[in-house]
Structures are given as structure tokens and as C-alpha cells.
Amino acid sequence: MATHAQLSGPFALGTFADGDGAPFPGLVAGDRVLDLRGRPALGSPATTRDLLERWDEALPVLHDLAARADGAWRPVAELRTLAPVEPRQLLQSGANYRQHVVDLAVAHRPADDPRTVEQARAEIGAMMDRRAAEDQPYVFIGLPSAITGPYDDVLLPDWCTKPDWELELAAVIGAPAYRVTPEQALAHVAAYTIANDLTARELVFRRDMPEIGTDWLRCKNAPGFTPLGPYLVPAAFVADPADLRVTLKLNGETMQDESTADMLFGVARMVSYASQTTRLLPGDLVLTGSPAGNGMHWGRFLADGDVMDGTITGLGAQRTRCTRESA
């Protein structure tokens, strides 16, 4: 079921299907959708990624179409809303919100730590400030096959004992980016969307091979572990990606509620950093980390029947229900 929240700007892009029909790229304006397939002015796109491939040319055409009252517009409610884009590359980030890192570090400090909680928070906070000023983001790769739609059920695998939520701002690449500077990076971001980067928390670290460290494959990439969308909101409509509210509610109770201003590394630095190693391509996603308030913090993980409502200022809302796989 769609969950409505105000979008920044006059339109957004999404991927839709009429029942079990073929997916198609759609222009979203208010509560209506315009099928964009077969439009020569847009290069006859078959997917939203086709539009991102020629973003500078497509954007003024989309403005014009959104302003028109004519055309074969359909109510959003009549269509199935799918994940808004199929990226070739999915890059994820860890430990990128100051408050989140401080909370985790304080909660996991040794029992014999002589510092008070206040002293520990102050020292760890100062360490995070130094990291933001002097160090680099922590980025790893995910699998696009983990992506699912913004209103689809999330299947919790029978082997996952501590499934956790992580609502995040995702930057969507337009123009290819390779070895760009932070000052150049935002020019390569076409749009923003919402991602919930679920984690099998008990599998983050390899207990059998501690010298190797983290196991991002297994803890992050089960089918459906990355609900995405609902839409791609053009970056031109997002005044400041460092001033957005990230909110996740679990069964109606607020668990995460933080500003992207709390990021250690903003979107520009994240995109620039990733581009130093890999060539970012149109449609690729750069997830920017999750704020404080994960299940690990609350001591409560996802269970059968749980409903997650995620919103980010101006980007809409997603709602996903959890179902537990039978053993």
C-alpha cells in the first residue's frame, strides 16, 4: 500500500507496472503518473536508467510534460510502484553519522572503562570530529539483487536471527563520475531517493575468521534487504542534502529521527571518494549511511508482522511489512 508524503519540486520519476505487466518509467506529478515510454523527445526510454543516461537533455522535457494537463495520466493508486531504478552498482557506507557512532562506541565500551558516560561521549565525539576533518569515508559494495520496491514485503530469512533496519539517503548518479573532486561531485548526482539498508546484525563480523573482519555479502544482500524509493526526486529540487530529516517508524513508534547534518561525510565527499576507485555510472546508487536508532541500539530486531515506515524530507515515504521465512 502506498504511503503518501510531500515531495520536493513539481515532479519525480518512478518505475511502475499495471498489475503483473511490464515495468515502465513514469513521471509523477501529485497523485498521477504519465507513462514515458516511446517518447522521442526523451530518447524513447524503456527504464528510468535510460533517462538518467541523458539526464541534462531529459530534465527540461520532463519539466514541460509535468506542466501539461493533457496526456494519458493515470492515478498512482491504480499502479504497482516498483523500485525506482535498477543500478549497475550499489555502494553502501558505514559509520557515517556522528551520533550513531558515539552511541555504539559508548554502549560497547569495556566494563572496566574508568570514564564516566559523559567523558566517554565527549572523547568519542572529539574523535569523530577529527575523523570527519582528516580521514575518509568507509564505503563497501552491495548487490543490486537485494533491491525491492518501496511497498513490497520484506522476507526475513530463516537463518537471520537479528534483522535490523537502517534508513538512509541515497544519491542517484546521472553523469558518469570518475576521480571527481568533492567540489565537482554534486554535478554528477541526478536525483535522491530513500533506501532501507537492512542488516543481518549477527553476521556483520566473521567469528570463524576474525582476522578477515566483516562479511558484507551475507549480512547485507539477502533478496529484498534494500527497499528502495518510492521515487527519484531530481537533485535540482533538493535545496540542501545536508539538511534533510531521516525518520523511521516501527509499528508506528519512532526509532530513527535525525538530520543528515549529522553526517561525518556529506554526499559530495562520499561520491568523490567512491569515484576515486570505481567509475560511477548513470543509475548507480551511493548510500550515505544510517543515523542513530537502529535495532542494535534499542535491543529490538525485526520480527514477523513488523511494519516499517520510512520518510526523508521531500523524498516521499516507503512502507514495508516483514514476513518470516519458514524454516
Side-chain angles (χ1 to χ4, degrees):
M1 177 187 297
T3 302
H4 298 290
Q6 186 173 0
L7 297 176
S8 296
F11 64 84
L13 291 174
T15 299
F16 303 91
D18 192 348
D20 294 327
F24 64 88
L27 179 67
V28 182
D31 59 358
R32 57 184 190 157
V33 176
L34 182 66
D35 188 341
L36 297 177
R37 289 175 294 185
R39 294 180 180 271
L42 292 171
S44 300
T47 66
T48 55
R49 203 169 79 193
D50 291 339
L51 292 165
L52 295 166
E53 294 270 7
R54 48 188 298 156
W55 187 241
D56 287 345
E57 302 165 41
L59 195 56
V61 178
L62 296 172
H63 272 281
D64 182 58
L65 289 171
R68 296 182 183 178
D70 60 332
W73 292 90
R74 297 182 61 183
V76 173
E78 290 184 359
L79 301 167
R80 183 182 171 201
T81 303
L82 309 177
V85 67
E86 292 186 4
R88 282 166 285 208
Q89 300 180 103
L90 174 60
L91 293 103
Q92 299 162 308
S93 175
N96 195 39
Y97 275 77
R98 186 182 189 277
Q99 188 65 38
H100 182 204
V101 177
V102 171
D103 286 348
L104 289 176
V106 170
H108 290 89
R109 64 196 178 111
D112 59 354
D113 190 332
R115 299 173 297 177
T116 65
V117 170
E118 292 74 18
Q119 289 171 334
R121 295 190 72 86
E123 291 180 17
I124 296 165
M127 187 187 307
M128 290 304 99
D129 293 339
R130 287 194 299 272
R131 180 177 170 231
E134 302 170 5
D135 293 338
Q136 296 177 323
Y138 181 56
V139 175
F140 51 95
I141 55 176
L143 297 178
S145 60
I147 290 174
T148 191
Y151 313 124
D152 292 342
D153 287 351
V154 172
L155 182 65
L156 305 176
D158 59 4
W159 47 259
C160 180
T161 61
K162 294 182 178 179
D164 203 347
W165 58 86
E166 294 193 48
L167 201 70
E168 309 192 10
L169 174 68
V172 186
I173 300 299
Y178 186 56
R179 295 186 178 178
V180 300
T181 66
E183 292 73 24
Q184 298 166 331
L186 292 185
H188 296 262
V189 175
Y192 294 97
T193 191
I194 303 172
N196 191 354
D197 182 22
L198 271 64
T199 304
R201 194 64 69 183
E202 78 281 9
L203 297 176
V204 173
F205 297 103
R206 289 293 296 259
R207 293 187 175 89
D208 57 333
M209 293 185 290
E211 64 277 10
I212 289 180
T214 48
D215 188 347
W216 296 122
L217 171 66
R218 194 145 195 238
C219 75
K220 288 283 189 183
N221 290 292
F225 259 37
T226 313
L228 189 72
Y231 309 128
L232 307 181
V233 175
F237 304 156
V238 178
D240 185 359
D243 187 23
L244 304 176
R245 202 79 193 173
V246 179
T247 305
L248 182 136
K249 295 183 178 182
L250 182 67
N251 302 327
E253 182 180 357
T254 299
M255 310 304 279
Q256 292 181 290
D257 187 22
E258 185 61 82
S259 170
T260 53
D262 196 48
M263 284 185 189
L264 296 173
F265 303 98
V267 174
R269 290 180 69 184
M270 196 71 67
V271 169
S272 172
Y273 176 78
S275 80
Q276 302 308 308
T277 300
T278 187
R279 187 181 301 277
L280 300 176
L281 302 170
D284 286 352
L285 298 176
V286 179
L287 276 57
T288 56
S290 189
N294 304 116
M296 179 68 78
H297 169 79
W298 295 106
R300 197 279 197 211
F301 298 99
L302 294 169
D304 187 56
D306 280 345
V307 176
M308 295 178 286
D309 287 292
T311 63
I312 297 180
T313 309
L315 304 186
Q318 57 176 232
R319 167 171 284 187
T320 49
R321 179 181 297 274
C322 298
T323 61
R324 173 60 78 173
E325 182 181 44
S326 300

